[in-house]
Amino acid sequence: MELKKDSNAVAIDMLLIVHSEKRRAAQATQLDSQEDPSALLQNRGGFQGVRNGIRKWQELERNGFQGNLSEKQCLQQPQVITSYDNQGTQLTVEIHPQDAMPQLLKKFSLAKRLQGDKNGNMRPRQPGGKDAHAYPWDRSCLKSMPLDLRHFEKLDASASQVTVKSGLDELVSDLLQEAHSDLEKVRAIWIWICHHIEYDVEAAQEKDRQAFKPTDILRTQKTNCDGYAGLFERMCRIAGVQCVTVPGYSKGFGYQTGQSFSGEFDHAWNAVYLEGRWHLLDSTWGSGLVDTTTSKFTFLYNEFYFLTHPALFIEDHFPDNKNWQLLKPPQSLRQFENNMYHKSEFYNKGMLSAHPETPMIRTVNGKATITIESCAPTLFMFMLNGKQEHGLLSLRKNGMKLEVYPPTMGTHKLQIFAKGNSEIYTSVLEYTLKCNFVDLSGRLPAELHQPVGPSWFSEQMGITKPSHPDPIIHTSDGRCSVSFGVEEGISVLASLHGDDGLVTEETQLRYIFQLNREKRTELKVQLPHAGKFALKIFVKKRQEQGNFVFVFNYLLCCTNTKVNWPMFPESFGNWGQGNELLEPLSGVLPANRNVPFKLKLHGIAKVLVKGQDTWPLTLNPEGYWEGSCSTAGCQEVYVMVLENANHNFYSYILKYKVNDQ
């Protein structure tokens, strides 16, 4: 026979031993078992769940996916014998009927290493030094190879629409219509499985119901993790791409922060050989997620687990064989258990790092501080023991800072969520807090929402150049003035909230007096007593219907126990832009007194103060309306204005209460 020669061809001295057809057929099963790369997995102890699933896949591989052929049909088919040495050199000999064309000569040059054929007759190369990536992650890319996902748009759309017509071979053939490289073949198979195969929660919990046959998976379109991995491996083999199933431990459904791993493995995923090196992927987690409260599966495609960078993949996947970490240096199981677990959404939403880098944090003087760095402005929120309380979360241009004050000693669960480009906050980090001291001075108002302090987000919402850029404002006399620029067409609303009954829902607006100038708003605040208060800021576009939207809040702190400021006067809608009140600022006036009034109003013809009687105010050369009013015999005092001198209709702009006799 003639062999095709090229620069890579080698001379081989070969001893060929040929047994009878009957003896060769009897040895086929044994040879397949010895050559199967997953056979090594079966010889190690301590793996029953996922390993049993892989074993069933192997049995099905040996028995054939298309049903048992008759002995006559088997004898008519070419027989393939493959041999390897320690360096992975492969020699394949085909024995075929005399009048048949050798199948290997049809498809391959002997000088080229076999990548695998339609029948899965291959032995993938084990990972070596050139497959290893440096640890820790260098932040350069989430993938183990450079990818432009836009290149896959047409392929993804096509693959996701392919339907099962008959068997697995035809399905793979249909998927590969738009695939022109091994990478595109893997991508098409990945997309189809992630969009069509549902995770079977019941099958995962009841081993006797696990579906391993591809025909069963295609029929039910349900399986568990080893079914996902086995199906993916089988489809890749049909497509001629080297692929192996990797069992191991995972930080998936049911994982608790800080837990240890032992006994049987709980998960399986795949490694594929592309462009000269191995790459990792997990089609189970790429397809969706299981709700922890309902144990129901939801399709939710996750790009993160396709060719994931090994330094990121190791955060929630620990393989049975450390070589499949594809890391240099590899991680130990203890490191895997103790390392910080950044969920896939952490990276999907552009986060780069988080500190501390350990899942368990001990508070210092009753406080724990967490920071996150992101590659773009991102909205965050947190929950401590399921509630959005006891923390100060401030947004930064590229990340956030969170200070948490646990209310009791002991263990607490801290969850951090991010919004990213979507409209939904999703969990990105979880910490366990150990608190052995409670700082009572660190107690925060329950109504202190997130975020605290102005940021890129408040600027995006139309509030600019704040007078107080820091989230906390300290006041010694219980008063402060906060101002900021307001974009055109934006209305601002502010309210004050404390943890006692003095600031009620009816009065939370009355401890703030709002002054609106042309492009700037000032908030004068008077606290009813010492303590901590949340000053909330809301905005709304004037031309749009609907409610005001919360933007941020300040934390106001006052330790002066002598503070006892009254409410401001109540203002009405006609209190216009640019108006200014100098006196009286207190919303409660003394009884039986002459009270001076001084305020600046724009575009007003006349101003009256009405108690039991009516007193006019006069306009001075500086542009202020001045005068006085007696509070004798009345419980309320109003400031009224006449906008048009030709009309007699006065409107209320301010309302005061008068103390009891």
Side-chain angles (χ1 to χ4, degrees), residues 8-22:
N8 295 320
V10 294
I12 301 175
D13 292 325
M14 177 174 62
L15 173 63
L16 177 63
I17 301 175
V18 180
H19 297 289
S20 67
E21 196 72 60
K22 184 176 181 180

Side-chain angles (χ1 to χ4, degrees), residues 159-170:
S160 63
Q161 299 300 318
V162 172
T163 58
V164 178
K165 297 176 182 177
S166 58
L168 201 60
D169 285 1
E170 185 177 1

Side-chain angles (χ1 to χ4, degrees), residues 78-89:
Q79 300 299 311
V80 178
I81 304 172
T82 304
S83 178
Y84 305 86
D85 68 8
N86 292 335
Q87 285 72 42
T89 301

Side-chain angles (χ1 to χ4, degrees), residues 112 220 230 239 267 288 394 414 420 468 486 571 582 586 651:
K112 181 180 179 182
T220 63
H267 195 43
S394 55
L414 174 64
H468 294 70
V486 179
S571 61
L582 272 68
S586 173
S651 57

Side-chain angles (χ1 to χ4, degrees), residues 8 110 148 307 394 516:
N8 295 320
L110 189 61
D148 183 354
L307 308 187
S394 55
N516 299 313

Side-chain angles (χ1 to χ4, degrees), residues 363 365-368 382-392 403-414 433-446 499:
T363 60
N365 297 325
K367 181 179 76 171
F382 76 93
M383 296 185 76
L384 183 67
N385 301 325
K387 296 182 179 180
Q388 299 182 43
E389 298 178 354
H390 310 294
L392 293 173
E403 295 179 346
V404 182
Y405 301 84
T408 60
M409 291 189 295
T411 302
H412 303 267
K413 180 179 180 180
L414 174 64
L433 304 187
K434 299 284 187 179
C435 180
N436 55 11
F437 171 77
V438 176
D439 182 7
L440 296 179
S441 65
R443 293 284 178 88
L444 302 173
D499 281 341

